[in-house]
Amino acid sequence: FPHPRRRPMFEKVVVVDCRGHLLGRLASYIAKELLSGQKVVCVRCEGVEISGTFIRQKFKFLSFLRKRMSTNPKHGPRHFRSPSRILWRTIRGMVPHKTARGTAAMQRLKVFEGMPAPYDRMHRMVIPDALRVNRLRPGRKYCSLGRLSSEVGWHYEGVVSRLEEKRKIGSKAFYEQKKALRKLHAKAEEKKSDVLKPIAAELQTLGYQGVRTRSISYRKCRQSWAPKKK
């Protein structure tokens, strides 16, 4: 996320690709954005990472599973096993969720394993200050939230990985078509450069820095491409 003072007003929705982020740092940034009024969607939650060895994190989670109400365990606490709900619960712990403001903030949050539609075709962002490669010293141990969840009761790791492989094939085809359209657009601009030069100069005198042609070609590419149904 950009710094609050350097960015414009709220985006309609911000899609965060959680792969490669540290759990606590990621949750703190998202909690702040939710309380500020921003809608956030977290995808690929199984790719979140936790600092520390896997066996240590597993023992900590197993200890957490033993914490329950002695007379009636159905009364809580709830022990979520899926990566998305673990992230959701971590964010909830950083939000005053029992107040009206906190409840409204949590309603702005959506979390998913994998990358379901329509978020697979939306612009996704990362949080550089929460990335493991930026925040954890090289050589330090870390583990994946997806692997931890699969060993404490989450049974859909294989399903999510298969769906992700299928999605990546479609994304690659879309990207190749997008590159081809960009090349055609660049050739067309080069061919008509003599015609466009006076128009660009006139637009510059009126205060326009340039024409946003790349976004137009990207939009056309998205409209023309659609995954094939089997």
Side-chain angles (χ1 to χ4, degrees), residues 45 80-90 111 113:
C45 293
F80 300 117
R81 265 69 164 201
S82 68
S84 61
R85 297 300 282 176
I86 290 173
L87 176 63
W88 180 87
R89 198 177 196 275
T90 307
V111 288
E113 287 93 16

Side-chain angles (χ1 to χ4, degrees), residues 21 30 97 108 137 160 166 173 177 228:
H21 290 74
I30 293 173
H97 64 279
R108 300 185 198 106
R137 185 181 297 173
V160 171
K166 190 176 177 182
Q177 190 174 6
K228 294 180 181 178

Side-chain angles (χ1 to χ4, degrees), residues 2 15 78 99 126 131 156 160 168 188 196 199 221 230:
V15 182
R78 310 290 183 204
T99 65
V126 299
L131 288 170
Y156 298 100
V160 171
K168 286 174 183 177
L196 292 173
I199 299 171
C221 179
K230 292 185 179 180

Side-chain angles (χ1 to χ4, degrees), residues 163-185:
L163 289 172
E164 276 293 284
E165 286 174 10
K166 190 176 177 182
R167 179 191 65 82
K168 286 174 183 177
I169 292 169
S171 296
K172 186 179 180 181
F174 165 66
Y175 182 64
E176 293 298 327
Q177 190 174 6
K178 177 182 167 183
K179 284 199 299 185
L181 280 173
R182 279 184 177 176
K183 284 182 181 178
L184 290 172
H185 193 273

Side-chain angles (χ1 to χ4, degrees), residues 121-160:
R121 296 197 191 179
M122 293 177 68
H123 178 66
R124 297 178 292 277
M125 302 182 71
V126 299
I127 305 172
D129 287 346
L131 288 170
R132 175 188 57 80
V133 292
N134 291 341
R135 307 305 299 181
L136 201 63
R137 185 181 297 173
R140 294 293 186 182
K141 303 290 185 181
Y142 64 92
C143 64
S144 168
L145 185 59
R147 183 190 171 194
L148 178 65
S149 296
S150 66
E151 296 206 12
V152 294
W154 182 54
H155 304 297
Y156 298 100
E157 186 180 22
V159 176
V160 171

